Amino acid sequence: MHLAYPAVLSVLLFCTGLYGVLARRNAILVLMSVELMLNAVNLNLVAFDVWLSKAAEETLHSGQALTLFTIAIAAAEIGIGLAIVLAVHRNRGTSDIDKLRDTAEGPDDDGPDDDGPGTGTPAARPAAEKAEATA
């Protein structure tokens, strides 16, 4: 088998995953797209390992070993990422990436008479300074 077939499939998988990361709003779908990109890299590693092992007399299969490490790291990443997404969904009620904000920020109350974070009532100044310090 030629190297071009798995390489083209890997490029298609990676581009599909990249589109999913850039276009999706749901955090779970973004994590699934990252997994698709990692699987494309794994396919490339195994394909090049098989291709290079045919040329070399001694085969170390380092591409396949690296693929096993990548699969283990991807499994840990999806477990931790999914736990974070579920915790955020439980607290906020949504997993939409655009609607998520830092917990230190309040609602937008930028009115037409607001000149900046240092102005306003004295009670509002510490909250604005705290929001600037955490940003």
Side-chain angles (χ1 to χ4, degrees):
M1 179 167 56
H2 294 235
L3 182 63
Y5 299 131
V8 168
L9 180 62
S10 177
V11 166
L12 290 174
L13 283 174
F14 192 85
C15 288
T16 304
L18 186 65
Y19 172 75
V21 167
L22 295 177
R24 298 295 175 193
R25 303 277 188 240
N26 192 348
I28 295 174
L29 292 177
V30 169
L31 284 174
M32 288 174 57
S33 299
V34 169
E35 288 294 319
L36 195 61
M37 292 167 61
L38 286 173
N39 285 331
V41 171
N42 288 339
L43 178 64
N44 237 353
L45 283 171
V46 170
F48 275 100
D49 182 53
V50 169
W51 184 65
L52 291 175
S53 68
K54 290 180 182 177
E57 293 176 9
E58 297 179 8
T59 57
L60 295 176
H61 297 294
S62 57
Q64 293 179 14
L66 188 58
T67 298
L68 287 176
F69 285 119
T70 307
I71 289 171
I73 289 172
E77 173 256 335
I78 196 68
I80 293 171
L82 200 57
I84 291 171
V85 167
L86 288 176
V88 168
H89 186 275
R90 191 174 296 148
N91 288 336
R92 304 273 175 96
T94 183
S95 62
D96 190 3
I97 294 175
D98 291 338
K99 293 182 182 176
L100 299 178
R101 290 184 159 180
D102 191 12
T103 57
E105 293 180 12
D108 290 333
D109 27 312
D110 293 334
D113 59 342
D114 191 13
D115 292 335
T119 61
T121 63
R125 286 185 191 151
E129 290 173 3
K130 183 179 177 184
E132 284 182 7
T134 57

